[in-house]
mmCIF file of all heavy atoms in Angstrom:
data_model
loop_
_atom_site.group_PDB
_atom_site.id
_atom_site.type_symbol
_atom_site.label_atom_id
_atom_site.label_comp_id
_atom_site.label_asym_id
_atom_site.label_seq_id
_atom_site.Cartn_x
_atom_site.Cartn_y
_atom_site.Cartn_z
ATOM 1 N N ASN M 531 29.231 187.231 191.106
ATOM 2 C CA ASN M 531 28.498 187.250 192.382
ATOM 3 C C ASN M 531 29.333 187.773 193.532
ATOM 4 O O ASN M 531 28.851 187.847 194.662
ATOM 5 C CB ASN M 531 28.010 185.844 192.745
ATOM 6 C CG ASN M 531 26.680 185.564 192.098
ATOM 7 O OD1 ASN M 531 25.934 186.503 191.789
ATOM 8 N ND2 ASN M 531 26.383 184.296 191.881
ATOM 9 N N GLY M 532 30.580 188.111 193.268
ATOM 10 C CA GLY M 532 31.440 188.656 194.312
ATOM 11 C C GLY M 532 31.167 190.141 194.497
ATOM 12 O O GLY M 532 30.350 190.744 193.789
ATOM 13 N N GLN M 533 31.866 190.745 195.444
ATOM 14 C CA GLN M 533 31.639 192.167 195.764
ATOM 15 C C GLN M 533 31.874 193.064 194.538
ATOM 16 O O GLN M 533 31.026 193.876 194.173
ATOM 17 C CB GLN M 533 32.628 192.643 196.821
ATOM 18 C CG GLN M 533 32.572 192.007 198.155
ATOM 19 C CD GLN M 533 33.381 192.827 199.144
ATOM 20 O OE1 GLN M 533 32.852 193.763 199.740
ATOM 21 N NE2 GLN M 533 34.643 192.506 199.318
ATOM 22 N N LEU M 534 33.039 192.892 193.925
ATOM 23 C CA LEU M 534 33.357 193.757 192.782
ATOM 24 C C LEU M 534 32.511 193.391 191.576
ATOM 25 O O LEU M 534 32.007 194.274 190.867
ATOM 26 C CB LEU M 534 34.856 193.644 192.436
ATOM 27 C CG LEU M 534 35.298 194.489 191.248
ATOM 28 C CD1 LEU M 534 35.051 195.973 191.491
ATOM 29 C CD2 LEU M 534 36.776 194.246 190.927
ATOM 30 N N ALA M 552 31.028 180.793 189.480
ATOM 31 C CA ALA M 552 31.751 179.508 189.480
ATOM 32 C C ALA M 552 30.915 178.378 188.887
ATOM 33 O O ALA M 552 31.459 177.406 188.366
ATOM 34 C CB ALA M 552 32.192 179.170 190.896
ATOM 35 N N LEU M 555 30.805 179.372 184.825
ATOM 36 C CA LEU M 555 32.133 179.343 184.215
ATOM 37 C C LEU M 555 33.187 179.169 185.303
ATOM 38 O O LEU M 555 33.614 180.156 185.928
ATOM 39 C CB LEU M 555 32.391 180.648 183.415
ATOM 40 C CG LEU M 555 33.732 180.695 182.681
ATOM 41 C CD1 LEU M 555 33.818 179.633 181.600
ATOM 42 C CD2 LEU M 555 33.952 182.077 182.061
ATOM 43 N N ASP M 556 33.599 177.928 185.510
ATOM 44 C CA ASP M 556 34.653 177.651 186.487
ATOM 45 C C ASP M 556 35.982 177.989 185.829
ATOM 46 O O ASP M 556 36.427 177.307 184.905
ATOM 47 C CB ASP M 556 34.589 176.171 186.893
ATOM 48 C CG ASP M 556 35.705 175.811 187.867
ATOM 49 O OD1 ASP M 556 36.536 176.686 188.205
ATOM 50 O OD2 ASP M 556 35.756 174.629 188.280
ATOM 51 N N ILE M 557 36.607 179.040 186.324
ATOM 52 C CA ILE M 557 37.819 179.537 185.640
ATOM 53 C C ILE M 557 38.996 178.575 185.742
ATOM 54 O O ILE M 557 39.971 178.719 185.003
ATOM 55 C CB ILE M 557 38.233 180.931 186.172
ATOM 56 C CG1 ILE M 557 38.545 180.876 187.680
ATOM 57 C CG2 ILE M 557 37.171 181.964 185.851
ATOM 58 C CD1 ILE M 557 39.306 182.080 188.185
ATOM 59 N N THR M 558 38.920 177.592 186.656
ATOM 60 C CA THR M 558 40.029 176.637 186.779
ATOM 61 C C THR M 558 39.955 175.540 185.713
ATOM 62 O O THR M 558 40.889 174.769 185.554
ATOM 63 C CB THR M 558 40.048 175.975 188.183
ATOM 64 O OG1 THR M 558 38.866 175.198 188.344
ATOM 65 C CG2 THR M 558 40.121 177.015 189.285
ATOM 66 N N CYS M 578 36.989 189.294 187.806
ATOM 67 C CA CYS M 578 36.817 189.565 189.241
ATOM 68 C C CYS M 578 36.921 188.302 190.080
ATOM 69 O O CYS M 578 37.002 188.376 191.306
ATOM 70 C CB CYS M 578 35.450 190.194 189.510
ATOM 71 S SG CYS M 578 35.132 191.693 188.572
ATOM 72 N N ALA M 579 36.848 187.135 189.440
ATOM 73 C CA ALA M 579 36.874 185.879 190.204
ATOM 74 C C ALA M 579 38.247 185.677 190.823
ATOM 75 O O ALA M 579 39.269 185.915 190.182
ATOM 76 C CB ALA M 579 36.538 184.698 189.286
ATOM 77 N N ALA M 580 38.253 185.247 192.074
ATOM 78 C CA ALA M 580 39.516 184.979 192.750
ATOM 79 C C ALA M 580 39.253 184.178 194.002
ATOM 80 O O ALA M 580 38.129 184.128 194.501
ATOM 81 C CB ALA M 580 40.201 186.299 193.132
ATOM 82 N N THR M 582 39.802 184.619 197.582
ATOM 83 C CA THR M 582 40.089 185.844 198.333
ATOM 84 C C THR M 582 40.222 185.628 199.840
ATOM 85 O O THR M 582 40.364 186.601 200.577
ATOM 86 C CB THR M 582 38.987 186.901 198.079
ATOM 87 O OG1 THR M 582 37.721 186.318 198.421
ATOM 88 C CG2 THR M 582 38.977 187.368 196.649
ATOM 89 N N VAL M 597 42.867 178.702 191.492
ATOM 90 C CA VAL M 597 41.954 179.795 191.146
ATOM 91 C C VAL M 597 42.729 181.053 190.723
ATOM 92 O O VAL M 597 42.460 181.638 189.670
ATOM 93 C CB VAL M 597 41.009 180.130 192.333
ATOM 94 C CG1 VAL M 597 40.122 181.319 191.994
ATOM 95 C CG2 VAL M 597 40.151 178.917 192.689
ATOM 96 N N VAL M 619 42.237 191.910 188.340
ATOM 97 C CA VAL M 619 42.232 192.702 189.573
ATOM 98 C C VAL M 619 43.203 192.068 190.565
ATOM 99 O O VAL M 619 43.121 190.875 190.853
ATOM 100 C CB VAL M 619 40.812 192.786 190.175
ATOM 101 C CG1 VAL M 619 40.808 193.702 191.388
ATOM 102 C CG2 VAL M 619 39.822 193.289 189.125
ATOM 103 N N SER M 620 44.138 192.884 191.052
ATOM 104 C CA SER M 620 45.142 192.372 191.978
ATOM 105 C C SER M 620 45.110 193.159 193.290
ATOM 106 O O SER M 620 44.144 193.874 193.568
ATOM 107 C CB SER M 620 46.518 192.394 191.319
ATOM 108 O OG SER M 620 47.442 191.660 192.094
ATOM 109 N N THR M 621 46.159 193.030 194.071
ATOM 110 C CA THR M 621 46.083 193.435 195.474
ATOM 111 C C THR M 621 47.345 194.128 195.984
ATOM 112 O O THR M 621 48.443 193.884 195.467
ATOM 113 C CB THR M 621 45.830 192.167 196.335
ATOM 114 O OG1 THR M 621 45.976 192.487 197.709
ATOM 115 C CG2 THR M 621 46.814 191.053 196.008
ATOM 116 N N TYR M 645 48.227 184.016 199.586
ATOM 117 C CA TYR M 645 47.306 184.811 198.758
ATOM 118 C C TYR M 645 48.082 185.831 197.921
ATOM 119 O O TYR M 645 47.895 185.924 196.697
ATOM 120 C CB TYR M 645 46.287 185.508 199.667
ATOM 121 C CG TYR M 645 45.429 186.544 198.979
ATOM 122 C CD1 TYR M 645 44.407 186.166 198.105
ATOM 123 C CD2 TYR M 645 45.644 187.900 199.199
ATOM 124 C CE1 TYR M 645 43.632 187.125 197.471
ATOM 125 C CE2 TYR M 645 44.868 188.864 198.574
ATOM 126 C CZ TYR M 645 43.861 188.468 197.713
ATOM 127 O OH TYR M 645 43.090 189.421 197.093
ATOM 128 N N LYS M 649 48.361 185.910 193.816
ATOM 129 C CA LYS M 649 47.850 187.055 193.033
ATOM 130 C C LYS M 649 48.981 187.626 192.165
ATOM 131 O O LYS M 649 48.751 188.040 191.028
ATOM 132 C CB LYS M 649 47.264 188.131 193.952
ATOM 133 C CG LYS M 649 45.992 187.736 194.687
ATOM 134 C CD LYS M 649 44.816 187.440 193.756
ATOM 135 C CE LYS M 649 44.319 188.665 193.029
ATOM 136 N NZ LYS M 649 43.123 188.361 192.209
ATOM 137 N N THR M 668 44.172 196.830 193.901
ATOM 138 C CA THR M 668 43.372 197.592 194.838
ATOM 139 C C THR M 668 43.622 197.078 196.253
ATOM 140 O O THR M 668 44.501 196.239 196.470
ATOM 141 C CB THR M 668 41.878 197.545 194.444
ATOM 142 O OG1 THR M 668 41.169 198.521 195.207
ATOM 143 C CG2 THR M 668 41.276 196.161 194.674
ATOM 144 N N LEU M 671 38.980 196.232 200.154
ATOM 145 C CA LEU M 671 37.776 196.450 199.342
ATOM 146 C C LEU M 671 36.491 196.144 200.120
ATOM 147 O O LEU M 671 36.428 195.174 200.856
ATOM 148 C CB LEU M 671 37.882 195.509 198.137
ATOM 149 C CG LEU M 671 37.063 195.810 196.891
ATOM 150 C CD1 LEU M 671 37.416 197.182 196.321
ATOM 151 C CD2 LEU M 671 37.324 194.725 195.837
HETATM 152 N N1 NAP K 1784 38.324 191.931 199.105
HETATM 153 C C1 NAP K 1784 39.427 192.646 199.235
HETATM 154 O O1 NAP K 1784 39.666 193.274 200.296
HETATM 155 C C2 NAP K 1784 40.399 192.758 198.096
HETATM 156 C C3 NAP K 1784 41.556 193.548 198.267
HETATM 157 C C4 NAP K 1784 42.451 193.643 197.209
HETATM 158 C C5 NAP K 1784 42.205 192.991 196.014
HETATM 159 N N2 NAP K 1784 41.091 192.228 195.882
HETATM 160 C C6 NAP K 1784 40.861 191.549 194.605
HETATM 161 O O2 NAP K 1784 39.700 192.110 194.036
HETATM 162 C C7 NAP K 1784 39.016 191.121 193.259
HETATM 163 C C8 NAP K 1784 37.555 191.073 193.663
HETATM 164 O O3 NAP K 1784 37.485 190.801 195.065
HETATM 165 P P1 NAP K 1784 36.092 190.623 195.799
HETATM 166 O O4 NAP K 1784 36.253 191.172 197.170
HETATM 167 O O5 NAP K 1784 34.987 191.098 194.918
HETATM 168 O O6 NAP K 1784 36.059 189.029 195.911
HETATM 169 P P2 NAP K 1784 34.841 188.086 196.328
HETATM 170 O O7 NAP K 1784 33.710 188.886 196.840
HETATM 171 O O8 NAP K 1784 35.446 187.019 197.193
HETATM 172 O O9 NAP K 1784 34.409 187.461 194.925
HETATM 173 C C9 NAP K 1784 35.225 186.545 194.246
HETATM 174 C C10 NAP K 1784 34.305 185.698 193.411
HETATM 175 O O10 NAP K 1784 35.108 184.744 192.698
HETATM 176 C C11 NAP K 1784 34.342 183.572 192.594
HETATM 177 N N3 NAP K 1784 35.156 182.396 192.329
HETATM 178 C C12 NAP K 1784 35.959 181.715 193.167
HETATM 179 N N4 NAP K 1784 36.471 180.631 192.555
HETATM 180 C C13 NAP K 1784 35.974 180.631 191.297
HETATM 181 C C14 NAP K 1784 36.122 179.776 190.193
HETATM 182 N N5 NAP K 1784 36.887 178.666 190.243
HETATM 183 N N6 NAP K 1784 35.469 180.073 189.035
HETATM 184 C C15 NAP K 1784 34.681 181.166 188.956
HETATM 185 N N7 NAP K 1784 34.484 182.019 189.981
HETATM 186 C C16 NAP K 1784 35.130 181.741 191.141
HETATM 187 C C17 NAP K 1784 33.669 183.461 193.948
HETATM 188 O O11 NAP K 1784 32.545 182.618 193.865
HETATM 189 P P3 NAP K 1784 32.153 181.743 195.155
HETATM 190 O O12 NAP K 1784 31.824 182.726 196.230
HETATM 191 O O13 NAP K 1784 30.998 180.955 194.635
HETATM 192 O O14 NAP K 1784 33.369 180.914 195.473
HETATM 193 C C18 NAP K 1784 33.290 184.916 194.229
HETATM 194 O O15 NAP K 1784 31.982 185.203 193.779
HETATM 195 C C19 NAP K 1784 39.786 189.815 193.477
HETATM 196 O O16 NAP K 1784 40.671 189.617 192.413
HETATM 197 C C20 NAP K 1784 40.586 190.068 194.747
HETATM 198 O O17 NAP K 1784 41.767 189.304 194.771
HETATM 199 C C21 NAP K 1784 40.166 192.106 196.888
#
Side-chain angles (χ1 to χ4, degrees):
N531 274 335
Q533 297 194 87
L534 179 60
L555 183 64
D556 178 359
I557 61 164
T558 65
C578 304
T582 56
V597 177
V619 185
S620 192
T621 170
Y645 170 73
K649 292 297 293 184
T668 192
L671 200 59

